[in-house]
Amino acid sequence: GENVEQHPSTLSVQEGDSAVIKCTYSDSASNYFPWYKQELGKRPQLIIDIRSNVGEKKDQRIAVTLNKTAKHFSLHITETQPEDSAVYFCAATGGFKTIFGAGTRLFVKA
Amino acid sequence: KAGVTQTPRYLIKTRGQQVTLSCSPISGHRSVSWYQQTPGQGLQFLFEYFSETQRNKGNFPGRFSGRQFSNSRSEMNVSTLELGDSALYLCASSLISGTGSSGANVLTFGAGSRLTVL
């Protein structure tokens, strides 16, 4: 079945450093790739997304890249801050469903 | 406008019982998706409904079922509860543009229903 693999499962960085989370999807029909942030005790919220006809998208300190040939996509957070600490989920959408990766718990140490 | 509303927020059941969870989507959103969230397993897709039709289903046993009403509100039901069904059940609504798989699907999540099975 369709699958999205996400790495690493846990990531600890120093405040100000960059963080990179990588995902791989299996369903060739996927054409939309959102990223969600879930803070402790809260619901997941969309932080950035990218469509299959775009290779890169940036929004302030966060950026996403997509390699559709390799079925890889990544989230980059620069100049990390303590409030970036949360669980981040990548996802792939196609065929009326969105499949999520297992999540990456990001710790930003002050 | 009001967000996605899920009820009940918390519930405790015993093995063998059944449970029904409710989700009211954002006004105007016609697609409702359900997810099971457990520690370490992320968000597992249960099913998606659009205009009262189930368009896709995840790999869950038949004990998990759902439906959508004409006002887009959705319910999911789990029968013969097992200990492993303890989880946070999240509902998300979206406004699908276009048909088929070509439209974007920005999910807005509800706060979830936390089910504990004893």
Side-chain angles (χ1 to χ4, degrees), chain A:
Chain A
E2 298 87 353
N3 187 46
V4 176
E5 293 190 359
Q6 182 172 349
H7 300 280
S9 57
T10 305
L11 179 59
S12 183
V13 299
Q14 204 67 37
E15 182 179 3
D17 287 350
S18 296
V20 180
I21 302 170
K22 298 183 178 183
C23 292
T24 303
Y25 63 97
S26 62
D27 187 0
S28 299
S30 299
N31 57 6
Y32 171 67
F33 305 90
W35 288 83
Y36 287 81
K37 175 183 180 182
Q38 187 175 30
E39 297 177 356
L40 191 62
K42 296 189 177 181
R43 68 197 75 183
Q45 291 197 307
L46 180 75
I47 55 170
I48 195 168
D49 55 14
I50 190 168
R51 302 193 187 189
S52 60
N53 57 349
V54 176
E56 186 173 355
K57 181 178 178 180
K58 189 175 181 180
D59 182 4
Q60 299 183 352
R61 295 186 298 108
I62 58 174
V64 291
T65 58
L66 171 65
N67 182 330
K68 209 157 190 286
T69 302
K71 296 183 183 174
H72 291 169
F73 57 117
S74 302
L75 175 72
H76 303 250
I77 306 174
T78 59
E79 300 172 23
T80 53
Q81 301 167 3
E83 51 264 39
D84 294 330
S85 296
V87 178
Y88 291 80
F89 293 97
C90 63
T93 297
F96 311 124
K97 65 182 182 293
T98 297
I99 303 299
F100 286 81
T104 296
R105 186 172 295 278
L106 174 64
F107 296 96
V108 180
K109 296 175 287 187

Side-chain angles (χ1 to χ4, degrees), chain B residues 17-117:
Chain B
Q17 287 187 312
Q18 73 163 8
V19 66
T20 299
L21 309 177
S22 178
C23 172
S24 293
I26 290 173
S27 178
H29 284 194
R30 296 169 64 190
S31 171
V32 173
S33 300
W34 287 90
Y35 290 87
Q36 181 194 66
Q37 184 171 30
T38 54
Q41 292 297 316
L43 297 156
Q44 301 291 311
F45 174 73
L46 282 154
F47 23 66
E48 188 265 2
Y49 288 89
F50 183 86
S51 293
E52 303 178 67
T53 300
Q54 185 184 90
R55 298 193 297 184
N56 215 319
K57 188 177 186 301
N59 297 322
F60 279 81
R63 301 185 295 107
F64 292 80
S65 63
R67 58 178 175 169
Q68 186 180 36
F69 302 95
S70 58
N71 61 357
S72 293
R73 189 178 71 86
S74 177
E75 288 181 349
M76 67 163 282
N77 183 276
V78 188
S79 63
T80 319
L81 284 166
E82 301 177 359
L83 295 178
D85 296 334
S86 293
L88 179 66
Y89 290 88
L90 289 163
C91 157
S93 73
S94 63
L95 179 61
I96 298 290
S97 59
T99 59
S101 61
S102 60
N105 185 342
V106 179
L107 301 177
T108 301
F109 285 88
S113 293
R114 184 166 296 281
L115 170 66
T116 301
V117 182

